[in-house]
């Protein structure tokens, strides 16, 4: 159950720092991180003493706060899926950019998640495809995605198609995934 956020933050900042050195001769590139957060109905289930969405929310807040305290130049945005429609509506387009890219927006993120309800489906591939639109066409930007989820696609999307769209936007096609109580037999599917 323990998620070591310090190592994730250090790794992400290392990636950004290394890329900054490459572009140091020119204007420093923008460093953007898009969190894609699962707020589907399954996130209402308990994991230990807490509901999964509470753990996901805490991980998100801690990461955003730590990243922005360490490097105030990082822009963070939040896309959420599974929060607009109840699972009974079978809405596989339930994905929305809730917070646009901005610097120092950890408190805005925290406030926004007080309003959201975990309730719908898990359109991971669709959310990744939509995430490609969230990034600008800035060819020098360093773009990363961190996916926080507890399960697999249940809307029959194709994550490989999404990866191609992300590659066009210079977004890491190997997103960082923070899995919450994912069955070990499903880990290879994420890989």
């Amino acid at each position: 159950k323990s998620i070591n956020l310090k190592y994730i933050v250090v790794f992400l900042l290392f990636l950004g720092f290394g890329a900054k050195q490459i572009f140091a001769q020119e204007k420093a590139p923008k460093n953007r991180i898009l969190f894609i957060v699962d707020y589907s109905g399954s996130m209402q289930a308990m994991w230990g003493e807490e509901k999964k969405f509470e753990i996901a929310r805490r991980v998100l807040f801690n990461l955003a706060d730590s990243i922005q305290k360490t490097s105030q130049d990082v822009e963070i945005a939040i896309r959420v899926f599974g929060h607009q429609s109840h699972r009974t509506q079978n809405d596989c387009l339930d994905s929305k950019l809730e917070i646009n890219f901005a610097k120092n927006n950890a408190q805005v993120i925290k406030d926004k998640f007080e309003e959201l309800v975990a309730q719908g489906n898990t359109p991971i591939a669709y959310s990744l495809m939509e995430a490609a639109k969230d990034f600008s066409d800035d060819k020098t930007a360093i773009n990363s995605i961190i996916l926080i989820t507890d399960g697999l696609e249940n809307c029959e999307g194709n994550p490989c198609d999404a990866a191609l769209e992300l590659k066009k936007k210079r977004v890491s096609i190997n997103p960082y995934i923070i899995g919450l109580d994912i069955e070990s037999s499903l880990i290879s599917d994420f890989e």
Side-chain angles (χ1 to χ4, degrees):
K1 288 185 191 177
S2 171
I3 300 171
N4 195 331
L5 301 179
K6 180 170 68 172
Y7 293 117
I8 294 171
V9 171
V10 169
F11 179 70
L12 289 171
L13 293 175
F14 175 75
L15 286 176
F17 178 76
K20 278 184 185 178
Q21 297 306 312
I22 292 169
F23 295 104
Q25 299 81 8
E26 301 173 13
K27 181 181 169 189
K30 290 185 178 183
N31 192 348
R32 295 187 181 120
I33 299 173
L34 174 65
F35 285 90
I36 301 178
V37 185
D38 183 346
Y39 249 54
S40 64
S42 65
M43 295 292 281
Q44 288 284 353
M46 298 295 289
W47 189 27
E49 301 292 317
E50 294 179 278
K51 291 186 176 185
K52 292 178 187 177
F53 80 86
E54 294 169 330
I55 296 167
R57 186 170 57 188
R58 188 176 67 250
V59 167
L60 173 63
F61 297 159
N62 290 341
L63 274 172
D65 186 58
S66 295
I67 289 168
Q68 291 186 331
K69 281 181 180 172
T70 306
S71 178
Q72 295 184 359
D73 292 332
V74 175
E75 295 179 6
I76 294 177
I78 309 294
R79 172 170 287 280
V80 183
F81 63 84
H83 66 300
Q84 300 176 101
S85 303
H86 192 271
R87 180 172 275 178
T88 56
Q89 293 178 296
N90 200 30
D91 184 357
C92 286
L93 303 180
D94 185 355
S95 179
K96 182 179 178 185
L97 181 67
E98 288 289 348
I99 299 174
N100 288 315
F101 284 102
K103 298 176 185 177
N104 302 313
N105 60 354
Q107 187 59 49
V108 172
I109 294 167
K110 190 170 189 174
D111 293 343
K112 183 59 163 178
F113 273 83
E114 295 298 325
E115 306 169 8
L116 302 179
V117 177
Q119 62 181 340
N121 277 357
T122 310
I124 293 175
Y126 176 76
S127 295
L128 289 169
M129 293 288 277
E130 291 298 295
K133 300 173 191 174
D134 297 339
F135 293 95
S136 70
D137 288 329
D138 183 348
K139 301 293 185 205
T140 64
I142 301 162
N143 300 318
S144 300
I145 289 178
I146 298 176
L147 172 63
I148 302 176
T149 186
D150 74 333
L152 289 178
E153 174 74 42
N154 70 357
C155 287
E156 300 180 17
N158 185 339
C160 293
D161 290 342
L164 291 174
E165 288 302 311
L166 292 170
K167 186 176 180 180
K168 290 177 189 174
K169 290 281 191 167
R170 294 181 42 106
V171 179
S172 170
I173 59 170
N174 295 316
Y176 307 99
I177 299 171
I178 299 174
L180 301 175
D181 197 27
I182 293 177
E183 296 176 28
S184 57
S185 62
L186 300 179
I187 291 173
S188 64
D189 289 337
F190 277 106
E191 293 172 355

